[in-house]
């Protein structure tokens, strides 16, 4: 007597003779042939379904599955088919009818197919009702297909299925890379031996066989050898060669009967004891595989085997490095090693925009450079890494200049970077610079909202940017260039007028879409006012506020 997950005792039924034939084939080292795809789990009980089952029986299958994979799943309307118990019984009878018409009674086992969705909170009650529905005309075994994640209730679900009293097979979407999908996509990282240990527990529960299915054929390779280290269960494969695309149903061109038969031989040589197919695999492929496998002994596991999809599995040499046009490595990206301290801001999306241009164009090589508003020192350090002769970094916050010095040391450029805490508006340049970089705060703020601040906030958000522009004529060397970040919250017209007045000209060398900051949210009402009064703007992208950041390259007007 078995105890089900629902706490009810269920007397196990004796496995019909057809399953004994399958068991004897496995014991005798003969490959058990499974069927292929049916109608996609729509629980068809029709003349067409009968004809398809008969074709699989004629092809030499030892096991033919009912077309019920989606029968116990939740329907789109929120419930299962109201007559699912009747459909379950009729689907078993339909396969038995196909077997009888081909005169192979006692030779072909009927597998009742169950989708992995049975492993859900209400699964125990569904399984109890399923056992009652199949009691009068039971199949020879139950097979749960499409299993992926090893959820916390799976063991309880399997125990409840076994309590029906029929052999239970489990089919997983797994490859050597972990969780795998019908298109070959990977849902998770490598799991080491976690799946193998779980399979061992299923064996101890009394599961009859373990299958790998609903994955592309090349993802099967290597998995059987891996699992054989953990279990003595019969292992099988039934991959798919077809799937839905935007153009409709697609079957791989290289998966005809001859090609599928060659794949089946390869799986047998790796140790497969049960071989069949899933979506896209039809009676012709199954028949060809059966003929090719006739009399072929099971091969020994080959440790370490793996398909080309597996990370590192197909490489005999390191890949060609990804580099930029200057030959500098991009993978991993040589981004400066930074830490921050106090209230110093970590680099923002705007900072990355400036950094990317300095990195790409190797700005600063051999020159004297200035970083205005250095923060954690990202731009100053990149200029030094590019080969600047010296970089002077200034910031109002002493913590920022200290962080810049620390980070310059971490990146090996401390002897070429100096950092000074100074008020930008009181600062006067003591030299002319070949490169000046400035990425500064520029959010419009209502002065009345912070009227007691040490320095009144800027109505237009422009004060720091405008002051840098005013300093450029005396701070830039004759052939010098400045890179100033300006967001779309500032007026282009105002910037252009100020540049012309100072004998400067600018062009946009890059731009990026920037997420809004907390200061934007706090000043949202005032920003709306500024945008009505000028050409300042921001974007509304699907209901989300987005600011455009422009990197301006500014030089003396010729």
């Amino acid at each position: 007597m078995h105890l089900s997950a629902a706490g009810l005792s269920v007397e196990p039924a004796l496995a019909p003779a057809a399953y004994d034939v399958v068991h004897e084939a496995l014991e005798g080292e003969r490959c058990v042939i499974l069927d292929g795809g049916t109608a996609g789990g729509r629980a068809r009980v029709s003349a067409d379904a009968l004809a398809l089952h008969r074709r699989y029986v004629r092809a030499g299958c030892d096991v033919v599955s009912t077309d019920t994979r989606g029968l116990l799943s939740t329907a789109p309307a929120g419930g299962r088919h109201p007559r699912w118990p009747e459909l379950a019984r009729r689907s078993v009878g339909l396969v038995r009818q196909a077997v009888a018409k081909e005169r192979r009674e006692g030779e072909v086992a009927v597998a009742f197919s169950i989708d992995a969705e049975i492993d859900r909170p209400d699964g125990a009650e569904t399984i109890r009702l399923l056992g009652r529905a199949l009691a009068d005309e039971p199949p020879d075994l139950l097979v749960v297909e499409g299993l992926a994640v090893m959820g916390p209730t799976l063991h309880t679900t399997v125990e409840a299925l076994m309590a029906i009293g029929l052999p239970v097979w489990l089919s997983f979407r797994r490859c050597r890379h972990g969780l795998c999908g019908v298109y070959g996509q990977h849902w998770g990282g490598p799991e080491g031996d976690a799946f193998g240990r779980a399979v061992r527990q299923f064996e101890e529960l009394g599961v009859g066989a373990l299958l790998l299915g609903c994955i592309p054929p090349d993802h099967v390779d290597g998995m059987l050898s891996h699992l054989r280290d953990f279990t003595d269960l019969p292992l099988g494969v039934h991959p798919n060669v077809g799937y839905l695309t935007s153009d409709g149903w697609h079957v791989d061109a290289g998966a005809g009967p001859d090609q599928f038969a060659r794949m089946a031989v390869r799986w047998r040589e790796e140790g497969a004891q049960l071989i069949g197919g899933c979506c896209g695999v039809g009676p012709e492929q199954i028949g060809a595989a059966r003929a090719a496998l006739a009399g072929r002994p099971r091969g020994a596991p080959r440790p370490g085997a793996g398909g080309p999809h597996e990370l590192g599995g197909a490489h005999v040499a390191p890949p060609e490095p990804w580099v930029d046009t200057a030959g500098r490595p991009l993978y991993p990206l040589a981004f400066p090693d930074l830490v921050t301290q106090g209230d110093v801001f970590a680099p923002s999306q705007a900072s990355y925009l400036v950094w990317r241009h300095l990195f790409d164009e190797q700005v600063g090589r051999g020159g004297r450079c200035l970083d205005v508003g250095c923060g954690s020192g990202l731009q100053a350090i990149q200029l030094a890494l590019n080969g600047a002769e010296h970089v002077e970094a200034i910031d109002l916050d002493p913590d920022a200049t200290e962080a810049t010095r620390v980070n310059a040391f971490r990146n090996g450029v401390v002897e070429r970077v100096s950092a000074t805490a100074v008020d930008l508006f009181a600062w006067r340049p003591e030299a002319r610079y070949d490169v000046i970089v400035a990425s500064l705060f520029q959010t419009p703020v209502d002065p009345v909202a912070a009227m007691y601040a040490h320095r009144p906030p800027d109505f237009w958000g422009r004060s720091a940017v405008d002051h840098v522009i005013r300093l450029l004529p005396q701070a830039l060397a004759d052939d010098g260039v400045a890179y100033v970040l300006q967001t779309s919250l500032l007026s282009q017209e105002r910037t252009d007028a100020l540049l012309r007045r100072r004998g400067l000209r600018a062009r946009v060398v890059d731009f990026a879409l920037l997420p809004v900051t907390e200061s934007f949210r706090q000043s949202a009402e005032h920003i709306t006012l500024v945008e009505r009064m000028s050409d300042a703007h921001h974007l509304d992208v699907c209901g989300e506020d987005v600011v455009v950041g422009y990197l301006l390259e500014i030089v003396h007007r010729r």
Side-chain angles (χ1 to χ4, degrees):
M1 180 178 294
H2 295 274
L3 188 65
S4 73
L8 300 176
S9 59
V10 181
E11 290 295 338
L14 294 175
Y19 189 80
D20 294 337
V21 174
V22 172
H23 182 73
E24 290 171 3
L26 293 172
E27 290 290 319
E29 291 297 320
R30 178 176 72 79
C31 186
V32 172
I33 305 300
L34 313 177
D35 62 356
T38 53
R42 292 191 295 271
R44 293 192 310 172
V45 181
S46 64
D48 289 342
L50 175 61
L52 181 60
H53 291 322
R54 290 188 66 178
R55 290 175 62 197
Y56 279 123
V57 175
R58 280 198 302 274
C61 289
D62 300 298
V63 179
V64 175
S65 299
T66 59
D67 184 20
T68 53
R69 178 165 169 179
L71 182 61
L72 305 185
S73 302
T74 300
R80 297 185 180 88
H81 194 290
R83 294 170 46 235
W84 73 261
E86 177 188 347
L87 291 174
R89 289 190 295 269
R90 290 178 60 191
S91 66
V92 174
L94 199 69
V95 180
R96 292 217 180 277
Q97 184 181 353
V99 173
K101 286 184 175 292
E102 297 299 325
R103 300 183 179 181
R104 291 193 62 198
E105 297 98 323
E107 300 177 13
V108 180
V110 178
F112 187 87
S113 175
I114 303 171
D115 189 78
E117 200 172 336
I118 192 66
D119 183 29
R120 51 188 295 133
D122 61 347
E125 176 63 13
T126 301
I127 293 170
R128 186 181 71 82
L129 294 175
L130 177 65
R132 185 177 297 176
L134 299 178
D136 293 337
E137 188 176 353
D140 299 300
L141 68 139
L142 308 173
V143 56
V144 185
E145 300 186 62
L147 291 165
V149 178
M150 306 290 292
T153 61
L154 185 55
H155 279 74
T156 301
T157 297
V158 172
E159 287 178 330
L161 285 169
M162 294 185 63
I164 292 177
L166 298 169
V168 175
W169 293 0
L170 304 179
S171 175
F172 283 87
R173 291 177 170 178
R174 295 287 176 125
C175 68
R176 288 299 300 273
H177 197 65
L179 303 180
C180 190
V182 67
Y183 301 98
Q185 72 273 37
H186 294 124
W187 298 332
E191 303 170 300
D193 63 355
F195 182 55
R197 287 186 281 108
V199 169
R200 179 65 179 175
Q201 293 175 345
F202 288 130
E203 180 180 358
E204 293 170 354
L205 282 177
V207 167
L210 187 93
L211 305 173
L212 303 172
C214 298
I215 59 176
D218 62 326
H219 288 239
V220 170
D221 298 335
M223 195 60 180
L224 297 174
S225 300
H226 171 69
L227 289 176
R228 188 51 74 201
D229 290 336
F230 298 92
T231 181
D232 293 323
L233 278 175
L235 300 177
V237 299
H238 62 128
N240 62 282
V241 298
Y243 38 84
L244 285 176
T245 71
S246 58
D247 295 328
W249 185 255
H250 171 80
V251 177
D252 290 339
D258 292 342
Q259 295 93 330
F260 189 82
R262 286 194 290 271
M263 289 188 283
V265 169
R266 187 172 75 240
W267 300 325
R268 180 64 171 168
E269 290 174 347
E270 193 184 332
Q273 295 159 275
L274 308 99
I275 294 177
C278 194
C279 297
V281 178
E284 292 77 13
Q285 286 104 318
I286 294 298
R290 182 185 183 280
L293 294 169
R296 185 175 292 274
R298 173 165 59 115
R302 299 188 296 275
H309 61 281
E310 197 173 345
L311 283 178
H315 292 300
V316 295
E320 287 293 324
W322 292 348
V323 297
D324 65 6
T325 55
R328 294 178 299 180
L330 296 176
Y331 193 96
L333 184 63
F335 192 82
D337 177 18
L338 302 177
V339 295
T340 188
Q341 59 188 54
D343 294 328
V344 178
F345 290 111
S348 64
Q349 293 290 85
S351 305
Y352 298 143
L353 171 61
V354 180
W355 172 84
R356 169 68 183 274
H357 188 77
L358 301 183
F359 177 86
D360 283 348
E361 302 299 325
Q362 301 184 67
V363 174
R365 180 179 298 276
R368 184 175 181 86
C369 305
L370 173 68
D371 180 8
V372 181
C374 57
S376 59
L378 173 61
Q379 318 304 349
I381 290 166
Q382 188 59 54
L383 289 167
L385 291 173
N386 289 347
E389 178 183 317
H390 185 80
V391 184
E392 184 177 347
I394 61 173
D395 197 289
L396 177 64
D397 187 353
D399 284 342
T401 55
E402 178 61 24
T404 296
R405 285 189 289 266
V406 169
N407 288 327
F409 176 80
R410 295 171 68 92
N411 290 273
V413 293
V414 68
E415 73 283 355
R416 288 184 286 123
V417 175
S418 60
T420 306
V422 63
D423 186 335
L424 173 63
F425 294 93
W427 178 78
R428 291 295 178 266
E430 299 177 355
R432 287 183 175 268
Y433 302 92
D434 300 296
V435 175
I436 297 176
V437 175
S439 178
L440 302 165
F441 181 83
Q442 45 193 281
T443 300
V445 178
D446 183 357
V448 177
M451 60 186 301
Y452 299 108
H454 169 66
R455 176 178 290 136
D458 181 10
F459 185 97
W460 302 102
R462 299 194 54 94
S463 59
V465 172
D466 284 0
H467 191 70
V468 168
I469 293 175
R470 293 189 188 100
L471 290 174
L472 290 182
Q474 63 188 95
L476 270 181
D478 289 342
D479 294 323
V481 58
Y483 294 97
V484 177
L485 180 77
Q486 173 175 328
T487 74
S488 58
L489 299 180
L490 274 57
S491 165
Q492 178 194 2
E493 293 177 354
R494 166 65 178 171
T495 298
D496 184 68
L498 189 58
L499 289 169
R500 289 176 179 274
R501 195 177 306 157
R502 295 296 189 277
L504 303 167
R505 63 181 176 88
R507 69 184 184 101
V508 175
V509 293
D510 205 350
F511 73 94
L513 302 182
L514 311 177
V516 301
T517 62
E518 183 60 30
S519 62
F520 177 99
R521 296 186 181 93
Q522 293 174 355
S523 298
E525 185 176 347
H526 181 71
I527 289 171
T528 300
L529 173 62
V530 168
E531 291 180 344
R532 285 203 303 264
M533 298 173 64
S534 70
D535 61 327
H537 72 283
H538 72 281
L539 305 178
D540 183 323
V541 181
C542 298
E544 295 291 332
D545 294 318
V546 177
V547 175
V548 185
Y550 299 96
L551 182 58
L552 303 180
E553 181 185 78
I554 303 174
V555 297
H556 291 288
R557 183 176 294 278
R558 293 288 185 256

